[in-house]
Amino acid sequence: MRTLSFWSGIVCAMLCGLVDPVWGYAAVFALSLIQLSMLGSSGGSVFLLIHYATILTYFSIAPAMQISQDVEFWEAGVMRTDAYTQALMLLLLYMAGVEAARLGVPDAPEHLPGAHDRRLIGVAHPLLLLLSCSLAAFASLFIRPELNFVARGVVGGAGGGEDNVPIDYIFYSTLPKLVVLLCFVALVIHAVRRRTLWSWCAAGLAFGLALAAANPVNTARQVLLIGLLPLLIHGLGRGRRWLLAGVTFGSIAGLGPVLNLISRGSMWGEELTTFPFSQDFDAMFVVAGILERAPIPDLGWGRYLLSAFSFFLPRDLKMFPDFDPLGWSAILGNFSQSNLSLPPFTTAYFDFGLAGPALFGFAISAGFRMVDRAIDPNRPLSGAYLSALVLLAAYVPFMRGPILGWGPFAASGLIAALIAGALSSRARRPLPRAVRHGLPSA
C-alpha cells in the first residue's frame, strides 16, 4: 500500500509540476506527509523517516511559498518558471531512486527490535569517558582558540596558510564539539539502561558540557543535528516515530533560523526572517539558479561528485577542482554569496544526466538499508552503533548540500562516535550454565 501510494504520488507531483512548479512542490509536501503517516508503525525504516522529514522541511512547502511570492536570495533575482520546473524534476527523480531501492524489501526489519539482546549494557568507566574526552576536546580549543570562531571555513587572514584551514577546522574546532556531544549521547544511553543515581549524574554533567560546546557561534545547526539527533534517533527511532519526525522538522524550521539570527545577526549584522524565507531554505533556489544561468557541461562521469565530496580538502589536494559547478564564472558572477551549497542529487545530474539523481538516490537508499539494521535501541553500545546513528543524523545536512558545513561535521562525528564507542563496554557474555547430569537409569 505504501509503495503504491508513493508511485502514484510521484506521477501526480510530476504532472502538477509541469503545469506549475508551485503545485508540484505542494504535491511533494502532501506525498511526504502520506509517507510519514505510513511509516508511523514501529519497526519501519529509520532512514525513510529521516528522508521524508528532510524532504518535508527543505524541498516542499519552502520552495512553493518562495516561488509564489517571487522571493529573491543572494541578489540573484527571480528565477524563471522553467528553471524551477527542471529543479523539481531532479528532486522527483532522486525520490524515485530512493524508493526503487526498497522494492521487494519489507519495511520492517528481519528481527524484532531488541529481541536478540535484552541485556542492559552500559558504558564502562563513565567518569573516565566523560573527563578524558571533554578535557582533551576543550584543551584543543584552547590551543587554537581562533578557529572556534571560523564559520564554515571562511578565513579573513592572508597568506598561504589559508589552504590548510579546512583540515585544521575539522580537528581543532568541529571534532572537540562532536566528541563532547557524542560522549553525552553515550552517557545518556548508559543512564537510561542502568537507571542509577550515579549514571544520571554523569549524564547531567555531560549535558552541561554539551551546552557549552554546542554554542550558537559557528554552524550551530550542524552541531546540534549531528551531535544530538543521534540521541533522538536512539530513543524515538523505533517507537515514537511521529515525535521524531516532528522534532527533526521543528529543530530545522524553528530552531535553525533562531540560532542563525543569533550567530549571524550578532556577528555580521545579517537579517534573517522566519521559515521558509530564511536563507537556510534556499536549496532549490540555488539549484534553479544554476540550471538557469550556467551552461550545461559535458558529463563528468563521477568527477563532479568526487569534486563535491572532497571540498574540505586543501585546494592542491582537491579531486577534479575544475569540475565544480559552484565555481563556474556564470555562478560566481550572478550570486552575491560565494558560500553556496548544492544538493548532491543535482551534482549527480551533471555527472550522469537525468539518470544521475535516480541512480544516486538508489545508491544512498541501498546503503542506508544496512544502516537501518544497526539501529536497535536495545543493542549494546559500540562505536559501530554510534556511527550508524551519526550517519542517519548526517543525512539531514547532507541533503542540504556538501559544503564545509556538512563534511567536517559528518567526518568528525564518525571519529567522535568511534572514540566514545572504543571506551564503551561490550556485551558481557552470560556465564555458561551448569548442566546437571541425571543418574543413569537401570
Side-chain angles (χ1 to χ4, degrees), residues 24-395:
Y25 283 112
V28 171
F29 174 79
L31 176 60
S32 300
L33 282 180
I34 294 173
Q35 293 303 300
L36 283 173
S37 66
M38 292 186 175
L39 285 169
S41 60
S42 178
S45 169
V46 178
F47 163 68
L48 287 180
L49 186 76
I50 300 296
H51 167 72
Y52 283 111
T54 307
I55 296 293
L56 194 71
T57 307
Y58 284 127
F59 305 101
S60 60
I61 286 296
M65 295 182 68
Q66 291 163 5
I67 297 171
S68 63
Q69 297 294 326
D70 290 332
V71 174
E72 300 181 24
F73 287 128
W74 313 123
E75 300 178 7
V78 179
M79 305 300 170
R80 296 196 310 266
T81 300
D82 57 344
Y84 274 119
T85 301
Q86 186 178 359
L88 172 64
M89 296 304 154
L90 298 184
L91 172 65
L92 295 178
L93 287 172
Y94 174 77
M95 295 175 64
V98 168
E99 284 291 342
R102 302 276 166 168
L103 289 175
V105 178
D107 292 327
E110 296 178 358
H111 64 278
L112 294 176
H116 67 284
D117 191 353
R118 293 293 184 181
R119 298 185 303 275
L120 301 181
I121 306 301
V123 176
H125 309 296
L127 181 62
L128 175 64
L129 171 67
L130 176 65
L131 293 181
S132 61
C133 292
S134 300
L135 290 177
F138 283 108
S140 62
L141 288 181
F142 282 112
I143 295 174
R144 298 292 297 273
E146 71 280 4
L147 290 179
N148 191 37
F149 298 94
V150 175
R152 298 189 178 182
V154 179
V155 182
E162 180 181 352
D163 289 343
N164 295 323
V165 166
I167 291 294
D168 294 341
Y169 180 69
I170 295 176
F171 292 101
Y172 290 105
S173 180
T174 308
L175 178 59
K177 298 176 185 297
L178 268 296
V179 167
V180 174
L181 287 168
L182 261 296
C183 286
F184 166 64
V185 169
L187 289 174
V188 170
I189 296 175
H190 164 75
V192 170
R193 292 172 175 175
R194 288 296 177 87
R195 300 184 185 277
T196 62
L197 178 62
W198 160 243
S199 64
W200 284 114
C201 289
L205 181 57
F207 178 70
L209 293 176
L211 288 179
N215 59 79
V217 173
N218 62 345
T219 52
R221 287 160 296 116
Q222 285 88 341
V223 172
L224 290 174
L225 286 174
I226 302 182
L228 298 180
L229 189 56
L231 182 59
L232 294 174
I233 294 173
H234 170 81
L236 306 176
R238 291 296 189 195
R240 301 173 180 86
R241 305 177 63 77
W242 269 104
L243 182 58
L244 176 60
V247 169
T248 303
F249 180 88
S251 63
I252 304 172
L255 186 59
V258 173
L259 292 176
N260 261 343
L261 186 61
I262 296 174
S263 59
R264 294 183 184 180
S266 61
M267 297 185 67
W268 294 287
E270 192 73 43
E271 294 183 359
L272 299 175
T273 55
T274 58
F275 174 86
F277 302 111
S278 168
Q279 295 164 351
D280 296 325
F281 304 96
D282 62 343
M284 298 308 288
F285 181 91
V286 175
V287 174
I290 291 179
L291 295 176
E292 179 181 277
R293 286 168 167 79
I296 301 300
D298 296 331
L299 299 181
W301 304 115
R303 287 175 288 186
Y304 291 101
L305 281 172
L306 289 175
S307 179
F309 293 155
S310 63
F311 57 90
F312 56 85
L313 295 176
R315 290 190 181 93
D316 55 345
L317 297 178
K318 186 177 176 68
M319 301 182 205
F320 306 109
D322 295 333
F323 289 82
D324 180 15
L326 299 178
W328 293 340
S329 59
I331 302 303
L332 297 176
N334 285 276
F335 283 84
S336 62
Q337 171 64 269
S338 60
N339 189 21
L340 298 173
S341 60
L342 189 64
F345 59 82
T346 308
T347 309
Y349 165 71
F350 293 129
D351 270 322
F352 303 102
L354 289 176
L359 293 174
F360 186 79
F362 187 93
I364 293 293
S365 184
F368 271 110
R369 276 170 52 186
M370 296 183 290
V371 176
D372 268 331
R373 297 190 185 101
I375 305 305
D376 185 348
N378 293 303
R379 173 165 293 190
L381 187 63
S382 64
Y385 178 66
L386 289 175
S387 296
L389 295 178
V390 170
L391 283 175
L392 280 173
Y395 180 78

